[in-house]
Amino acid sequence: MKKWLRKEVTTDRGIFEIFIKGEGEPLCVTHYYSSYNNTGDYFAESFTKTNTVYLVNLREAGNSVIANQPYQLSMLESILDLEAIRNSLKLDRWGFAGHSTGGILGVVYGIYFSRSLYYLVLVGAAAREYVTFSEDCIYNPKHPNFQEMQYLTNELMQSKSIFEIKGLKKRRTQLSLLDPQKYETYFSLDIQKEISATRLAFYNREMHVFDVTKKLKLIDIPCLIICGKYDVQCPLLYSIEMHDLILDSNLVVFEESNHYPFLEEEKKFKNEYYEFFYAQFCRSRK
């Protein structure tokens, strides 16, 4: 598989590491606490046939600028960093696609900077804290797999051998697949990414007070919302809620997916995105 092109982008908010692949209209992809390299990302790879994809390491991820103050890791500050990157790339607008916490960032991006975006793609995301009141969420203590998820997450945060880390990641990811036995099929490419422990720790604190549902009406660009019917991380309820509150939105429920519809139902995912993308592409040129 072709590697992603690494680039350092100098902005007035610091230097950020990004990776570029594909051809076509510009599309930004990122995640709250993932740390990318030139092997790319499974989610981002889904869009490289139609878009020039900019895969962004946010502050404190990869070789991007560090945070001098904790607030610089917040959602809004992260969006301001993305805006600085877009301006430095001299892009008037770009699309944004995010999975899980990347989708959560996309919600905030759309609320405050719709003018900078062509459209949003939000996959397995939410517009408010999704753990406390949802027993369908694997991070809720009443979920049947809560203890196992906590154990695997804690083990991953400790120093382990590469072999042990690989096994723990596999077991942890399998908890979010409708068919865990298909793990090797879904994750067969040479894609390696890490977690920014600093960003993850901040995220776990910020999420306790996160709720932008009353501001969703401010998103005035087309929005494709996708969620697996059996998503145990950001349950379907939260995607339905976003669809109800974002005026120009389309919700597609993947009936045979958990948290990774772009892998679990890859063909359907790409078809849904292509249909959405080309509709926006044609509309923007009328």
Side-chain angles (χ1 to χ4, degrees):
M1 185 182 69
K2 183 180 178 182
K3 299 294 185 181
W4 290 61
L5 174 67
R6 180 182 179 275
K7 180 180 177 67
E8 289 188 350
V9 181
T10 301
T11 77
D12 58 4
R13 296 172 64 86
I15 299 175
F16 292 87
E17 181 181 44
I18 69 172
F19 299 90
I20 306 169
K21 188 175 181 180
E23 296 181 0
E25 297 296 300
L27 177 70
C28 176
V29 175
T30 194
H31 184 274
Y32 202 107
Y33 50 81
S34 286
S35 177
Y36 304 109
N37 54 58
N38 68 351
T39 64
D41 172 69
Y42 282 98
F43 179 69
E45 194 70 36
S46 304
F47 308 102
T48 56
K49 299 298 183 184
T50 50
N51 297 86
T52 299
V53 181
Y54 297 90
L55 184 59
V56 178
N57 271 335
L58 293 170
R59 192 178 297 266
E60 288 281 1
N63 294 304
S64 287
V65 62
I66 64 170
N68 294 317
Q69 299 293 333
Y71 76 86
Q72 292 177 308
L73 300 175
S74 69
M75 292 186 190
L76 187 54
E77 285 292 314
S78 297
I79 299 307
L80 292 174
D81 287 341
L82 290 178
E83 277 292 275
I85 293 168
R86 181 187 61 80
N87 285 323
S88 291
L89 292 171
K90 301 188 185 305
L91 297 172
D92 291 334
R93 299 169 76 185
W94 56 4
F96 182 92
H99 170 235
S100 195
T101 65
I104 290 171
L105 285 172
V107 171
V108 179
Y109 204 169
I111 289 171
Y112 293 101
F113 291 100
S114 279
R115 67 181 184 275
S116 299
L117 300 167
Y118 288 119
Y119 57 83
L120 287 171
V121 180
L122 310 175
V123 181
R128 61 185 171 99
E129 190 265 314
Y130 49 86
V131 176
T132 304
F133 301 108
S134 178
E135 295 180 16
D136 292 329
C137 178
I138 200 167
Y139 301 111
N140 184 295
K142 292 186 179 181
H143 190 279
N145 289 328
F146 170 78
Q147 292 296 341
E148 185 175 3
M149 175 60 88
Q150 293 301 303
Y151 167 77
L152 293 172
T153 301
N154 290 335
E155 285 293 295
L156 277 170
M157 300 306 290
Q158 308 300 318
S159 297
K160 301 284 181 181
S161 69
I162 294 176
F163 179 79
E164 288 178 309
I165 290 173
K166 184 177 180 180
L168 289 167
K169 285 183 175 179
K170 175 180 177 178
R171 289 171 57 191
R172 188 177 185 275
T173 301
Q174 284 178 311
L175 294 176
S176 299
L177 294 174
L178 185 60
D179 185 350
Q181 300 306 312
K182 291 185 177 180
Y183 175 89
E184 301 294 347
T185 301
Y186 298 144
F187 296 91
S188 60
L189 301 178
D190 182 25
I191 292 177
Q192 307 292 330
K193 66 178 181 180
E194 304 299 330
I195 290 175
S196 167
T198 303
R199 291 194 65 87
L200 175 58
F202 193 92
Y203 170 80
N204 286 335
R205 288 167 173 79
E206 185 166 27
M207 276 307 296
H208 286 287
V209 294
F210 176 65
D211 186 347
V212 293
T213 50
K214 291 184 178 180
K215 293 185 177 182
L216 289 177
K217 62 184 178 181
L218 299 177
I219 298 176
D220 60 0
I221 51 174
C223 182
L224 175 62
I225 302 170
I226 291 175
C227 190
K229 182 178 180 179
Y230 304 98
D231 195 324
V232 295
Q233 294 205 32
C234 289
L236 177 58
L237 164 69
Y238 299 92
S239 287
I240 295 172
E241 180 177 67
M242 290 191 296
H243 172 54
D244 289 342
L245 296 172
I246 299 174
L247 181 61
D248 190 0
S249 67
N250 182 34
L251 171 64
V252 183
V253 179
F254 281 58
E255 300 287 337
E256 299 178 13
S257 292
N258 192 320
H259 192 55
Y260 296 90
F262 53 94
L263 297 176
E264 295 174 273
E265 296 180 74
E266 180 181 4
K267 183 177 180 180
K268 178 181 178 180
F269 182 88
K270 289 181 177 179
N271 286 341
E272 291 290 347
Y273 174 69
Y274 294 164
E275 182 178 343
F276 171 79
F277 170 75
Y278 286 115
Q280 310 319 313
F281 185 81
C282 293
R283 182 164 70 174
S284 67
R285 279 153 179 75
K286 285 184 178 180

